[in-house]
Amino acid sequence: IQGDKAYGRGISDDGYCIFASIWIIKTLQILGIPHPKVVFLFEGDEESGSGHLPTYVELLKDKIGNPKVMLGLDSGCLNYENLWVTNSLRGVAILNMNVKIIKEGVHSGDASGIVPDTFRIIRELLERIEDTKTGTFNKDFQVNVPSDAYKQAEQVSKSASKDLFARFPFIEGTQPTEQDGLNAYLNRGWRPQLTVTGIDGLPPCEKAGNVLRPETNIKLSLRLPPILDNEKALKMLKEKLSKDPPYGAEITFSGEASAKGWYSKPF
């Protein structure tokens, strides 16, 4: 502890919730406001998978009972002026895609114009998922936003639109993909979004020569709408990227994984 600040693992992410949740119940009691039975379950395996938690849930099931509402005290917020409740989270589909066109690297001065660059092929393949000019996604990855979730998005965009953009470190003169608060919020919470998070096969610029490379491997992270089936989405992603590849390129996948999103209906 230094001054009025505490420093340590989990302080900002998890450290506050123990005190905040207990104080909320205490405040209700001080004010004489009735509340139902509340059970707190705290665990300290922060950001490590919580592998031991199911064991304790099982051991404590008699004390826990059958909750009507479960709240996970670990989420984000846009500002400190409002009390935030997260009731949805996007799913994700992840894979490595390798694109190969020739057996070995060749001189670009000799081969370019005849041998297609694998990076060009990747650009064409990704266009099947996302239109780079409009940001529009393939309809198979989109969902109809539930009416109550849309109303919540409208409320957030009206009350905290500036906070939605200000939290990201844009450099001077740059702009977000969407400047309208409502659409930005829906993009972030209910619409699919694609990110290239890794790439293999490219040498560092200082060492790169005039070589047309035989293959390129990229890692893709596709954020999914909360109610879209994650396993189905991963399968669709592979199918759309591998079907009839440009120039008959060899497309292979590895490192496939997905996680299910969730959506909690209104209380």
Side-chain angles (χ1 to χ4, degrees), residues 54 61 80 87 105 126 129 133 161 180 184 197 207 246 250:
K61 63 182 180 181
Y80 296 112
N87 63 356
L126 295 185
I129 310 300
K133 291 184 178 180
S161 181
D180 174 73
T197 59
K207 294 183 179 181
E250 179 184 277

Side-chain angles (χ1 to χ4, degrees), residues 152-211:
Q152 292 167 1
E154 290 180 317
Q155 293 173 344
V156 171
S157 64
K158 290 179 181 179
S159 63
S161 181
K162 292 183 179 180
D163 299 309
L164 184 63
F165 297 104
R167 60 200 307 265
F168 301 109
F170 287 99
I171 63 173
E172 185 176 353
T174 60
Q175 299 177 348
T177 55
E178 176 59 65
Q179 299 189 52
D180 174 73
L182 175 58
N183 276 317
Y185 186 85
L186 292 172
N187 281 350
R188 184 173 176 267
W190 281 94
R191 292 169 182 161
Q193 302 296 333
L194 183 65
T195 305
V196 178
T197 59
I199 187 165
D200 295 323
L202 288 171
C205 292
E206 62 181 15
K207 294 183 179 181
N210 293 314
V211 177

Side-chain angles (χ1 to χ4, degrees), residues 20 122 155 229-230 241 255:
I122 288 175
Q155 293 173 344
D229 186 297
N230 58 298
L241 291 173

Side-chain angles (χ1 to χ4, degrees), residues 29-97:
Q29 295 173 346
I30 292 174
L31 297 176
I33 300 175
H35 62 79
K37 175 185 175 181
V38 179
V39 177
F40 296 105
L41 179 60
F42 303 117
E43 57 94 16
D45 199 13
E46 189 245 353
E47 303 296 350
S48 301
S50 301
H52 63 277
L53 187 57
T55 300
Y56 285 103
V57 171
E58 178 65 24
L59 290 173
L60 298 170
K61 63 182 180 181
D62 292 336
K63 290 186 177 181
I64 296 173
N66 296 308
K68 292 183 179 179
V69 177
M70 294 182 63
L71 301 176
L73 302 176
D74 183 11
S75 189
C77 62
L78 294 180
N79 59 41
Y80 296 112
E81 284 68 50
N82 303 93
L83 178 63
W84 296 88
V85 177
T86 299
N87 63 356
S88 67
L89 185 70
R90 289 182 291 182
V92 65
I94 299 171
L95 56 74
N96 301 325
M97 179 177 69

Side-chain angles (χ1 to χ4, degrees), residues 5 7 10 12 30 33 45 47 107 115 124-125 135 147-148 150 154 158 160 168 191 193 201 213 228 246 266:
K5 292 182 172 60
Y7 297 85
S12 63
I30 292 174
I33 300 175
D45 199 13
E47 303 296 350
H107 200 293
V115 179
E124 289 189 45
L125 292 174
S147 58
D148 57 284
Y150 193 89
E154 290 180 317
K158 290 179 181 179
F168 301 109
R191 292 169 182 161
Q193 302 296 333
R213 299 167 298 100
L228 184 66

